[in-house]
Every structure is written in structure tokens, then in C-alpha cells.
Amino acid sequence: MSGMVEKRGVGLWLTHAGLILGVLVIFFPIWLAFVASTVTQPEIVRPPMPLLPGDQFFENYREALVSGVNTPVARMLANSAVMALGIAFGKIAISLLSAFAIVYFRFPGRQLFFWLIFLTLMLPVEVRIVPTYEVVARFGMLNSYPGLIFPLIASATATFLFRQFFMTVPDELAEAARVDGARPMRFFWDILLPMSRTNIAALFVILFIYGWNQYLWPLLITTDPSMNTIVMGIKQMFPSGDDVADWPVIMATSLLAMLPPVLVVILMQKLFIRGLVDTEK
Amino acid sequence: MATVTLTNIRKSFGPNEVIHGVDLDVANGEFIVIVGPSGCGKSTLLRMVAGLETVTTGELRIGGERVNEKEPMDRNIAMVFQNYALYPHMSVFDNMAYGLRIAKTPKAEIAERVANAAKLLQLETFLARKPRELSGGQRQRVAMGRAIVREPDVFLFDEPLSNLDAKLRVQMRLEIKALQRKLGVTSLYVTHDQVEAMTLADRMVVMNAGDVEQIGAPLEVYERPASLFAAQFIGSPSMNVLRGTAAGALVTLANGAVIEAAVDAKGPVIVGIRPEHLAPDPQGPIALDTTMSEPLGWNTLVHGTMGGTDSELVASLAGVHRESELQGTMRFSVAASLTHLFDAASGRRLGG
Amino acid sequence: MEKRVTFKGWLLPLLLVAPQLAVTAVFFFYPAGQAVWQSLFIPDPFGLRSQFVGLGNFEFLLGDSYYRASFVTTAVFSSLVTLVSMGAALCLAVLADRLIKGASTYRTLLIWPYAVAPAVAGVLWLFMFNTRVGVISWYLGLLGYDWNHVLNEGEAMGLVVVASAWGRVSYNFLFFLAGLQSIPRSVIEAAAIDGARFWTRFRTIVFPLLSPTTFFLLVVNIVYAFFETFGVIHTITSGGPQQATTILVYKVFADGFVGQDLGSSAAQSVILLIVVGTLTIIQFKYIERKVHY
């Protein structure tokens, strides 16, 4: 090896070994959860639990999906899907429109509007939960999808992202469209929107995960179990007091809860990475 | 097809006036090239004609009709942009058809017009492709095609060749000229390249810092530049300018040499002599202390300073010359009819 | 930076920004304003009327030993989460960067935990360390170590830190690997030719060149640890034992919703607002500098 940058032989194997160890450590909690979701409750409560899957896969998942503990998990999955999709689509839609207005028009209050939405970048929902809760309660939106969705789309990250992207679209395209006779909204639909496809998709991936993984907000405003989302619903499945938790069903639910966002990340890895880099920088 | 008339057109951005009153009459079918260095306002002028910039004061007429307040699409113009501005997500066909679709042209007619343009530009086999799958020259043609299918009254070109490599530029230049001749559409063409201006223009407009220096046919500008700026901007290598003092038809240069000019003048003047008009002459009045030479094949450039001064002087000798012939001080003469005299203060041309 | 081209008119753009303006006003500015407003009042026990106390809530908070303890807890917690997740991620990224082939395979294997919700991560780790059924706590017991995060404050902190850092490794790994891969090979090869061994190269060349990424991740991870770890804390410890894992965000929730002490909760929100605002400004300053490179 002697100072060479490229690794060969033993060094290469050590590198792989280190990485594989890392992967195993990262995977271990998931593996254990998977095993727990395929065995019976008695096998778990009599430690140590087995480290290889059992034969109860279908029974546990069916029980979780159909009956759950308080609510069928299928219902919670549907709630999560509505919330995550609502947040992703809602935020993308309002952000596209306002970014278009900010970049391509000069209108009274433009600068003020820009700074107002800039402020929203600084405050996560966790900081203003109590008053937000009161607003939602006053609108009668507790235990409702709008109540789950609206407070979480009240932030301007996506607006900034689209603004940045629109700024990179050559001026000449808008001019060519004007010469071609396109009015503003026609330009938006025919040119700007199709050109933003990749950005929209990347942002969609990030927002979907963000929405799906919300915990505190649904915990506050969904007191009705039939409106629980899956991520916050898991905690509700633990019994209060000294009763033993139904671990196989809880673990099956946990895996179901992580499956959609994990699939999104793996299947749309390129878009996911791009979205991550876009939104965080 | 239409005439274009600019009457005292001015443009200000905030307090800054960038176009200081331009008057121009473009005849039907004429090819006008607006040429000048970057920042001279030539693109702004073109964009005002297009309707992409508002006209601050003055009047703009296309086909005799005032269009100051009209949207670009209502002016019946078509524009070719420097970076082509092709819609990246649309096929070549859709790029060309977009404007017609917005104008609600019948489908059959769109297909026919696009097909004709594609044939004219040899783009028939590329109609289904996206712009990114095309070469620079092909994109350029699509941009032209988009302009042609609209059958506009006026073509506007904003430095359409500057993104192409040198060889392709020459080829596309010829194509544009042939196309314009064939279609006979009034055209305004902006460029910073004086060769493009010389070769394409019926008449050219030389601009400098928001002012028109000269309007005229290419050879007219070359042979009788109206100002020092026009004289130096058109022609390559650039015209030599030498300070001197005139008395009648004789001009005494800074080093005491005396040359004969074409016109009579008095007092401080600037003499302009094109490098290609300096004729080697052992008895000639103009001495050139050579510093280096550039053999270009069809001619040879000799660089240096005028003897006894530090004014730069360039001579262009026809044909091939070896470096060994071009050492030390060389002497040149110039025919009086090939000299140009400019007022030392205003830079305007003296005499006819 | 401004666009050269604009469309005319003012009604259309106002209509276009209207939806965002409405949502932001109702669900952001009004509640944020309310938080500031409420922080100046103490409601009576029946919630019927409030008494104006000025900065009294803040004074009380800063004098409150529980609140100060929560500050310390948050500082310890976020430092540990940041350190653990960035440290592990950097090691893995350095290893993956050494591979000519296969780096992207490991990337795929390592990035997906980012998608696991903190609350779900909490449940997974709780399961492993559960005092009754946990596999790891059972094996620790075999080794003679009696794990009990329900009673032991240090163990509770350790568990929430690891559970919070776990999913975060993915995120940091992704950015570290991108940072490492953007360092020109030629620089490292030059150092190798100069005779620098791997560790020397890393210390003197790679790490300094990676510092923009490191700084960026530092800020982002602190913000993450401050706010997004609520789910981990809530599922694993509920802030206990003896408030040993009550971080600031958890306390806003506990005092506001469980304790119904709205004035104090609002004041805490305002303090958090200042903290996160400061972090955001630092981050923007840093981005500006990066842009000027």
C-alpha cells in the first residue's frame, strides 16, 4: 500500500468489513422488529426472544391491519397517506403559484410578502403548537384532515426552492413565450411547470416523508382513534399501567409505518438525494 | 412584410438614459444590422422593437402603425435569441408550433407551415427530437424555424450566431443571408461582430454608448466612416489613428512627418489610415518601428510604433512575408484618397 | 438577483400569492403572534381571564430550576446526538469514499433509515432495551449489567441519544460522502506523493476541505436534535426519569398541554423561537459565505 491512494488486498477487505459492520448495526433494530412481527406474544415475553423469523407473519400483520389495538392499522395507514399527500401536494401547489408571482411579476407588497414568508423558515411547528392548536380548534378542525394538513403547509421552504429554480430559467424563454403570444398563466402551464418536473418530484419525495413522519401535531389534534395517523398511533397501542404490550402487533405496525417512506427513499433515490440537497442548502 | 420606423427613440432605466434618441427608417424587405460593442444599447433597441422593453419616449411604427403600446404578440414580429430560447421539454415540432397553437391556427395549417419551414431548414428528420438532442447549428435552425412559421412582418435577430463555433458561424451566416433574400422579410439583426455586420447588412447601424454613430451600407461605412468610432469599429485590424496638425491638404504628424490628406483642414486633427492602405515605400513619409509580425497566410500584419513616437501602428501587407524581411524600421506611404480626417475634439469626419 | 423579464399587471400576482398568504397568516403568523402575546400573561385557574405580567413568565422561567435543568438536558442531548450521528457517519463515509466500486451500493443500504420517523425509531429502540422483553437488555443482564432506563437517568439519556442519532447517521453519511467525493482526487494524490500516510492525509487535507460540510451538518443536526426528536423522547421516556430527558420542546408540550400552563408554555415557545432563529441566521450567514466562494 505504501502511500498509494487506491486500496487493495487487506485494506480493501477491511474497508468492506467496516462498512458491512455499519450496515448491520443500522439494520439490526429493523431486523429485530421484523422477527418480533413474525412470532407469537409468548415467544417475546419469555426472553430472550428468537433472532430468526417465526411463522406468524400473516397472522400478526392481518391482526394489525384489520383490528389493531384501538383502531385498525389499515385505517391509520389511510389517514397517514391522506395527510402526507395533502401536505406534499398542498405545499407544492401554493408554493409554485407564489414563487411564480414573486419571480415573474412586480406587484405592490411584493417585497413585504417575500420577507413575510422568509420569516416562516425560522419557526418549526413545534414552537407554536399551543396557539396553533387553539386556531385549529376554533375552526372546528380537530380530528379532521384539514386540521392535520394546513398548519404543516404554512411554511415557505418550497416557495424558496421554486423561486431559486425559476431564477435559473433563462429570461429568453419567457421572452420567447411572450413573442409567441403566451399570456402569463399559459407560460406557467406550458413552459414553467413542465420544466420544473424534476424539482417538483424531488420536493414531493421530501415533503411526503416529512408529512408521513409527523408525530407531535397529529398527537395533539387527533383525539378520535379513527383519525390517528400510523406514526403517532403506535404509541397509543402501548397499554397504560403494567399490562404487557402486544409486541408482535406493535412491531408489525412499526414496520408498516416505515414501509411507505422507506420505499419512497429507495425507489426514488436520485430524486430523494436531490430533494434533500435542494431543501437543506 | 412591413417597414419599421423609429423616431427619436429613447430608453431610460430609472434615472439612467441608455438610448439617446435613435432615428431609423427601415424599408420593406431590408436587412438592417445593428452593430456595436457590448453595452452600446443595441440589444435594448432591438428589444424595444420586439416589445420586450417599453419605449421611454419616441415613436415606433411597424407597417406604418404605431406599436409602442402593443404586446410583442400583437406586433407580428418573430425573434431569434442568442441562446435560441428553445423550450427544452418540447419537441422540435412543438417548439415551432407553439406560437401558432396559441394563435389557435387550425391543426392542418400548423402541420403544413411547420413542414415547410422544416424543409427549408433541412430539419425534417429532427422534428420529433428534443432540443438537447440537437447540435448547436441544428438548434439555431430550429430557432429560425420558429420565427419563420409565424410568417411575421419583421424578423428580429439578437446575436443569433454568437453561441456557435467559428466554422459553423460562417456557414450559418450564409444560410441566414440566403434565407432572408428568399423570404424577403424585413429584418433587424444585432451583433457585436463587424464581419457579420459587413457580410449580412443591406445597411448597418453603428452604435456606441446609446448613440447612433453612422447608418449606411457596409462599404459606405468602410470607405467613408462618419466618426472616429465607426472608423475604428469597422475593419480588421482596426484603423490606425494618428494625431497631427493640418494646414490645407497637408498634415504634420507628431514625429514631424508630413502626409497629404484628401481634404483641406486647419489645426489639430486625427488622421485615420487603414492598415491595408499602408503601402511599403522606402521613400514613404511614415516610419514603422517594428516590434512583431503575424503571418496570416493571405496577408501579414506588422505591428509596431510610428517612428520616434509611441503611437501604435499596424500595417497589413498582402501575401506571405518572412519575419526576416520585417525587422527594424520600415517605411510606408499612403494615397491621399485613402486617408480619413477627423476633428480632434468631436471625432466627426472632416470633409465629404 | 432579479429577473429581467416580468409580466405586467398586479391583480394576477396578488391572486397567485393569496393562498400562501392566507394559510401563512392563519396558521403561522397569528399563532406565532399569539405565542408572543400569551407569554406576557398568566391565565387564571379557570381560564376565564388573564392577567398581564409583562416579562414575568420569562423571569419565572429563568429562575425555575426545572427549566434551567431542561436547558442543560437539551444542551447535553443535542451535543451527544450531533456528535454520535456525525462521528459514525463520517467514519462510514470515509470508508465508502475509499472504495472505487460499490460506494453507491453502501449508500443505498445506509440512507433509508432517514425515512424512519423518529417516533418509530423510538419504538424500535425501546423494544430492544425494554426492561422486560428487550433482547439487548436481556443479554446485558447475562453479562451482569442490570439495564433499566426507566429508573436510571444516564441510561435513559443514552437510549434516547442513540435512538435519535440512529436515523440521522443516514443523512449525515449522505452529505459527508458527497463532500468527500467532491474533493479533487489530485489533491489527495499529491499529498500521497508527498509521502503523507492515510491518517496524516485525513487530518491535514481531507478534514479541512470537508469543513464547510461539517459546519453545515453541525447546525442542521443541532436544529434536528432540538425539535424533531420529540417523537423519540415521547415514545421512549416521556421526559423521565425525574425529567432527565425533558428537552425544551418536550417541556413546551408538557407544560402547555399536560400541565395547561399556557403563559409559561408560550414564554418557552418564545425562547425556543429565539434559539432557532439564531441558529437559522448562523446557517444563512454561512450559506452566504459559501456562495461568495
Side-chain angles (χ1 to χ4, degrees), chain A residues 128-148:
Chain A
R128 49 193 160 94
I129 44 168
V130 180
T132 309
Y133 178 85
E134 287 168 355
V135 170
V136 169
R138 207 174 310 152
F139 281 125
M141 296 201 299
L142 298 178
N143 290 310
S144 77
Y145 291 128
L148 280 171

PDB file of all heavy atoms in Angstrom, chain A residues 128-148:
ATOM      1  N   ARG A 128     -44.798  26.712  17.984  1.00  0.00           N
ATOM      2  CA  ARG A 128     -46.057  27.466  18.129  1.00  0.00           C
ATOM      3  C   ARG A 128     -47.254  26.527  18.279  1.00  0.00           C
ATOM      4  O   ARG A 128     -48.352  26.817  17.823  1.00  0.00           O
ATOM      5  CB  ARG A 128     -46.244  28.392  16.924  1.00  0.00           C
ATOM      6  CG  ARG A 128     -46.043  27.654  15.616  1.00  0.00           C
ATOM      7  CD  ARG A 128     -45.902  28.544  14.407  1.00  0.00           C
ATOM      8  NE  ARG A 128     -45.260  27.797  13.347  1.00  0.00           N
ATOM      9  CZ  ARG A 128     -45.893  27.127  12.382  1.00  0.00           C
ATOM     10  NH1 ARG A 128     -47.198  27.132  12.323  1.00  0.00           N
ATOM     11  NH2 ARG A 128     -45.217  26.458  11.471  1.00  0.00           N
ATOM     12  N   ILE A 129     -47.026  25.383  18.912  1.00  0.00           N
ATOM     13  CA  ILE A 129     -48.097  24.384  18.934  1.00  0.00           C
ATOM     14  C   ILE A 129     -49.332  24.834  19.682  1.00  0.00           C
ATOM     15  O   ILE A 129     -50.437  24.607  19.229  1.00  0.00           O
ATOM     16  CB  ILE A 129     -47.622  23.031  19.526  1.00  0.00           C
ATOM     17  CG1 ILE A 129     -46.782  23.266  20.761  1.00  0.00           C
ATOM     18  CG2 ILE A 129     -46.946  22.185  18.491  1.00  0.00           C
ATOM     19  CD1 ILE A 129     -46.532  22.002  21.531  1.00  0.00           C
ATOM     20  N   VAL A 130     -49.151  25.475  20.852  1.00  0.00           N
ATOM     21  CA  VAL A 130     -50.332  25.779  21.661  1.00  0.00           C
ATOM     22  C   VAL A 130     -51.272  26.739  20.933  1.00  0.00           C
ATOM     23  O   VAL A 130     -52.454  26.424  20.752  1.00  0.00           O
ATOM     24  CB  VAL A 130     -49.914  26.315  23.048  1.00  0.00           C
ATOM     25  CG1 VAL A 130     -51.142  26.633  23.874  1.00  0.00           C
ATOM     26  CG2 VAL A 130     -49.052  25.284  23.764  1.00  0.00           C
ATOM     27  N   PRO A 131     -50.772  27.903  20.479  1.00  0.00           N
ATOM     28  CA  PRO A 131     -51.695  28.804  19.762  1.00  0.00           C
ATOM     29  C   PRO A 131     -52.227  28.192  18.465  1.00  0.00           C
ATOM     30  O   PRO A 131     -53.386  28.418  18.114  1.00  0.00           O
ATOM     31  CB  PRO A 131     -50.839  30.029  19.446  1.00  0.00           C
ATOM     32  CG  PRO A 131     -49.610  29.903  20.245  1.00  0.00           C
ATOM     33  CD  PRO A 131     -49.435  28.487  20.616  1.00  0.00           C
ATOM     34  N   THR A 132     -51.409  27.417  17.759  1.00  0.00           N
ATOM     35  CA  THR A 132     -51.894  26.794  16.536  1.00  0.00           C
ATOM     36  C   THR A 132     -53.041  25.835  16.853  1.00  0.00           C
ATOM     37  O   THR A 132     -54.043  25.770  16.145  1.00  0.00           O
ATOM     38  CB  THR A 132     -50.762  26.048  15.812  1.00  0.00           C
ATOM     39  OG1 THR A 132     -49.652  26.914  15.677  1.00  0.00           O
ATOM     40  CG2 THR A 132     -51.197  25.579  14.442  1.00  0.00           C
ATOM     41  N   TYR A 133     -52.874  25.119  17.948  1.00  0.00           N
ATOM     42  CA  TYR A 133     -53.934  24.213  18.387  1.00  0.00           C
ATOM     43  C   TYR A 133     -55.233  24.979  18.606  1.00  0.00           C
ATOM     44  O   TYR A 133     -56.301  24.554  18.177  1.00  0.00           O
ATOM     45  CB  TYR A 133     -53.500  23.512  19.673  1.00  0.00           C
ATOM     46  CG  TYR A 133     -54.536  22.597  20.249  1.00  0.00           C
ATOM     47  CD1 TYR A 133     -54.656  21.289  19.805  1.00  0.00           C
ATOM     48  CD2 TYR A 133     -55.426  23.045  21.231  1.00  0.00           C
ATOM     49  CE1 TYR A 133     -55.619  20.445  20.325  1.00  0.00           C
ATOM     50  CE2 TYR A 133     -56.394  22.218  21.758  1.00  0.00           C
ATOM     51  CZ  TYR A 133     -56.487  20.913  21.301  1.00  0.00           C
ATOM     52  OH  TYR A 133     -57.446  20.087  21.809  1.00  0.00           O
ATOM     53  N   GLU A 134     -55.100  26.157  19.256  1.00  0.00           N
ATOM     54  CA  GLU A 134     -56.296  26.948  19.529  1.00  0.00           C
ATOM     55  C   GLU A 134     -56.970  27.405  18.234  1.00  0.00           C
ATOM     56  O   GLU A 134     -58.193  27.388  18.112  1.00  0.00           O
ATOM     57  CB  GLU A 134     -55.941  28.164  20.395  1.00  0.00           C
ATOM     58  CG  GLU A 134     -55.647  27.759  21.829  1.00  0.00           C
ATOM     59  CD  GLU A 134     -55.014  28.874  22.635  1.00  0.00           C
ATOM     60  OE1 GLU A 134     -54.720  29.947  22.059  1.00  0.00           O
ATOM     61  OE2 GLU A 134     -54.806  28.671  23.845  1.00  0.00           O
ATOM     62  N   VAL A 135     -56.155  27.828  17.266  1.00  0.00           N
ATOM     63  CA  VAL A 135     -56.716  28.261  15.980  1.00  0.00           C
ATOM     64  C   VAL A 135     -57.480  27.113  15.329  1.00  0.00           C
ATOM     65  O   VAL A 135     -58.631  27.262  14.891  1.00  0.00           O
ATOM     66  CB  VAL A 135     -55.603  28.745  15.036  1.00  0.00           C
ATOM     67  CG1 VAL A 135     -56.149  28.950  13.618  1.00  0.00           C
ATOM     68  CG2 VAL A 135     -54.986  30.030  15.549  1.00  0.00           C
ATOM     69  N   VAL A 136     -56.853  25.957  15.294  1.00  0.00           N
ATOM     70  CA  VAL A 136     -57.472  24.811  14.645  1.00  0.00           C
ATOM     71  C   VAL A 136     -58.742  24.407  15.377  1.00  0.00           C
ATOM     72  O   VAL A 136     -59.766  24.085  14.761  1.00  0.00           O
ATOM     73  CB  VAL A 136     -56.456  23.640  14.567  1.00  0.00           C
ATOM     74  CG1 VAL A 136     -57.127  22.364  14.141  1.00  0.00           C
ATOM     75  CG2 VAL A 136     -55.332  23.997  13.613  1.00  0.00           C
ATOM     76  N   ALA A 137     -58.691  24.481  16.712  1.00  0.00           N
ATOM     77  CA  ALA A 137     -59.888  24.141  17.491  1.00  0.00           C
ATOM     78  C   ALA A 137     -61.014  25.118  17.174  1.00  0.00           C
ATOM     79  O   ALA A 137     -62.160  24.729  17.011  1.00  0.00           O
ATOM     80  CB  ALA A 137     -59.556  24.179  18.980  1.00  0.00           C
ATOM     81  N   ARG A 138     -60.680  26.400  17.049  1.00  0.00           N
ATOM     82  CA  ARG A 138     -61.703  27.408  16.790  1.00  0.00           C
ATOM     83  C   ARG A 138     -62.364  27.198  15.430  1.00  0.00           C
ATOM     84  O   ARG A 138     -63.536  27.470  15.242  1.00  0.00           O
ATOM     85  CB  ARG A 138     -61.099  28.800  16.874  1.00  0.00           C
ATOM     86  CG  ARG A 138     -62.124  29.847  17.276  1.00  0.00           C
ATOM     87  CD  ARG A 138     -61.469  31.199  17.505  1.00  0.00           C
ATOM     88  NE  ARG A 138     -60.322  31.121  18.385  1.00  0.00           N
ATOM     89  CZ  ARG A 138     -59.298  31.976  18.332  1.00  0.00           C
ATOM     90  NH1 ARG A 138     -59.277  32.931  17.423  1.00  0.00           N
ATOM     91  NH2 ARG A 138     -58.292  31.865  19.168  1.00  0.00           N
ATOM     92  N   PHE A 139     -61.562  26.729  14.467  1.00  0.00           N
ATOM     93  CA  PHE A 139     -62.138  26.437  13.144  1.00  0.00           C
ATOM     94  C   PHE A 139     -62.902  25.113  13.135  1.00  0.00           C
ATOM     95  O   PHE A 139     -63.378  24.683  12.092  1.00  0.00           O
ATOM     96  CB  PHE A 139     -61.041  26.372  12.086  1.00  0.00           C
ATOM     97  CG  PHE A 139     -60.570  27.720  11.621  1.00  0.00           C
ATOM     98  CD1 PHE A 139     -59.228  28.058  11.684  1.00  0.00           C
ATOM     99  CD2 PHE A 139     -61.469  28.650  11.128  1.00  0.00           C
ATOM    100  CE1 PHE A 139     -58.797  29.296  11.262  1.00  0.00           C
ATOM    101  CE2 PHE A 139     -61.042  29.890  10.703  1.00  0.00           C
ATOM    102  CZ  PHE A 139     -59.700  30.225  10.772  1.00  0.00           C
ATOM    103  N   GLY A 140     -62.931  24.431  14.273  1.00  0.00           N
ATOM    104  CA  GLY A 140     -63.581  23.126  14.318  1.00  0.00           C
ATOM    105  C   GLY A 140     -62.851  22.083  13.485  1.00  0.00           C
ATOM    106  O   GLY A 140     -63.469  21.172  12.950  1.00  0.00           O
ATOM    107  N   MET A 141     -61.539  22.227  13.404  1.00  0.00           N
ATOM    108  CA  MET A 141     -60.793  21.295  12.541  1.00  0.00           C
ATOM    109  C   MET A 141     -60.045  20.228  13.332  1.00  0.00           C
ATOM    110  O   MET A 141     -59.223  19.518  12.780  1.00  0.00           O
ATOM    111  CB  MET A 141     -59.808  22.073  11.653  1.00  0.00           C
ATOM    112  CG  MET A 141     -60.529  23.002  10.680  1.00  0.00           C
ATOM    113  SD  MET A 141     -59.546  23.487   9.238  1.00  0.00           S
ATOM    114  CE  MET A 141     -58.191  24.324   9.990  1.00  0.00           C
ATOM    115  N   LEU A 142     -60.335  20.094  14.645  1.00  0.00           N
ATOM    116  CA  LEU A 142     -59.735  18.991  15.381  1.00  0.00           C
ATOM    117  C   LEU A 142     -60.283  17.692  14.795  1.00  0.00           C
ATOM    118  O   LEU A 142     -61.421  17.643  14.343  1.00  0.00           O
ATOM    119  CB  LEU A 142     -60.098  19.076  16.866  1.00  0.00           C
ATOM    120  CG  LEU A 142     -59.613  20.336  17.600  1.00  0.00           C
ATOM    121  CD1 LEU A 142     -60.074  20.308  19.047  1.00  0.00           C
ATOM    122  CD2 LEU A 142     -58.092  20.426  17.530  1.00  0.00           C
ATOM    123  N   ASN A 143     -59.480  16.652  14.814  1.00  0.00           N
ATOM    124  CA  ASN A 143     -59.900  15.369  14.262  1.00  0.00           C
ATOM    125  C   ASN A 143     -60.373  15.477  12.823  1.00  0.00           C
ATOM    126  O   ASN A 143     -61.372  14.878  12.434  1.00  0.00           O
ATOM    127  CB  ASN A 143     -61.019  14.754  15.105  1.00  0.00           C
ATOM    128  CG  ASN A 143     -60.504  14.303  16.456  1.00  0.00           C
ATOM    129  OD1 ASN A 143     -59.492  13.591  16.527  1.00  0.00           O
ATOM    130  ND2 ASN A 143     -61.142  14.739  17.513  1.00  0.00           N
ATOM    131  N   SER A 144     -59.699  16.283  12.041  1.00  0.00           N
ATOM    132  CA  SER A 144     -60.067  16.379  10.619  1.00  0.00           C
ATOM    133  C   SER A 144     -58.803  16.421   9.770  1.00  0.00           C
ATOM    134  O   SER A 144     -57.723  16.774  10.267  1.00  0.00           O
ATOM    135  CB  SER A 144     -60.894  17.642  10.361  1.00  0.00           C
ATOM    136  OG  SER A 144     -60.041  18.765  10.333  1.00  0.00           O
ATOM    137  N   TYR A 145     -58.947  16.076   8.512  1.00  0.00           N
ATOM    138  CA  TYR A 145     -57.786  16.114   7.624  1.00  0.00           C
ATOM    139  C   TYR A 145     -57.282  17.543   7.410  1.00  0.00           C
ATOM    140  O   TYR A 145     -56.072  17.775   7.462  1.00  0.00           O
ATOM    141  CB  TYR A 145     -58.106  15.443   6.282  1.00  0.00           C
ATOM    142  CG  TYR A 145     -58.298  13.949   6.403  1.00  0.00           C
ATOM    143  CD1 TYR A 145     -59.424  13.313   5.899  1.00  0.00           C
ATOM    144  CD2 TYR A 145     -57.321  13.161   7.028  1.00  0.00           C
ATOM    145  CE1 TYR A 145     -59.596  11.946   6.019  1.00  0.00           C
ATOM    146  CE2 TYR A 145     -57.490  11.793   7.154  1.00  0.00           C
ATOM    147  CZ  TYR A 145     -58.625  11.185   6.641  1.00  0.00           C
ATOM    148  OH  TYR A 145     -58.787   9.848   6.761  1.00  0.00           O
ATOM    149  N   PRO A 146     -58.168  18.505   7.173  1.00  0.00           N
ATOM    150  CA  PRO A 146     -57.645  19.879   7.020  1.00  0.00           C
ATOM    151  C   PRO A 146     -56.847  20.320   8.248  1.00  0.00           C
ATOM    152  O   PRO A 146     -55.813  20.974   8.128  1.00  0.00           O
ATOM    153  CB  PRO A 146     -58.906  20.730   6.863  1.00  0.00           C
ATOM    154  CG  PRO A 146     -59.926  19.789   6.329  1.00  0.00           C
ATOM    155  CD  PRO A 146     -59.620  18.458   6.941  1.00  0.00           C
ATOM    156  N   GLY A 147     -57.323  19.925   9.429  1.00  0.00           N
ATOM    157  CA  GLY A 147     -56.600  20.279  10.649  1.00  0.00           C
ATOM    158  C   GLY A 147     -55.228  19.653  10.684  1.00  0.00           C
ATOM    159  O   GLY A 147     -54.264  20.223  11.197  1.00  0.00           O
ATOM    160  N   LEU A 148     -55.104  18.447  10.148  1.00  0.00           N
ATOM    161  CA  LEU A 148     -53.803  17.769  10.103  1.00  0.00           C
ATOM    162  C   LEU A 148     -52.886  18.427   9.078  1.00  0.00           C
ATOM    163  O   LEU A 148     -51.677  18.463   9.258  1.00  0.00           O
ATOM    164  CB  LEU A 148     -53.989  16.290   9.727  1.00  0.00           C
ATOM    165  CG  LEU A 148     -54.416  15.326  10.825  1.00  0.00           C
ATOM    166  CD1 LEU A 148     -54.749  13.968  10.220  1.00  0.00           C
ATOM    167  CD2 LEU A 148     -53.318  15.179  11.869  1.00  0.00           C
TER     168      LEU A 148
END
